Amino acid sequence: MVARKILREEELVKFCKELNINCNMKSILIMIDKKQAEYYSIDDDCFHKLDLKIAKKYI
């Protein structure tokens, strides 16, 4: 099963602070596929690995 969610506004700010990443974006896509989690960074134009526990908090 694949789960996806786009974070915006308050959730986005909270997520960025937790990961200590740039929060100048309007949204971030989080994906969980089987036992892997990733988020898409517009700044880097690529996916970055994400701790599964953190991803589950937001999806």
Side-chain angles (χ1 to χ4, degrees), residues 21-56:
I21 60 174
N22 181 6
C23 197
N24 292 333
M25 299 168 267
K26 292 185 178 184
S27 62
I28 283 182
L29 171 67
I30 294 177
M31 290 182 24
I32 298 176
D33 185 9
K34 299 176 186 170
K35 293 185 179 183
Q36 281 188 322
E38 300 176 310
Y39 71 92
Y40 179 75
S41 169
I42 294 171
D43 291 344
D44 301 333
D45 192 26
C46 68
F47 283 93
H48 296 277
K49 292 191 186 278
L50 178 61
D51 184 273
L52 195 56
K53 290 179 186 178
I54 294 172
K56 286 182 178 180

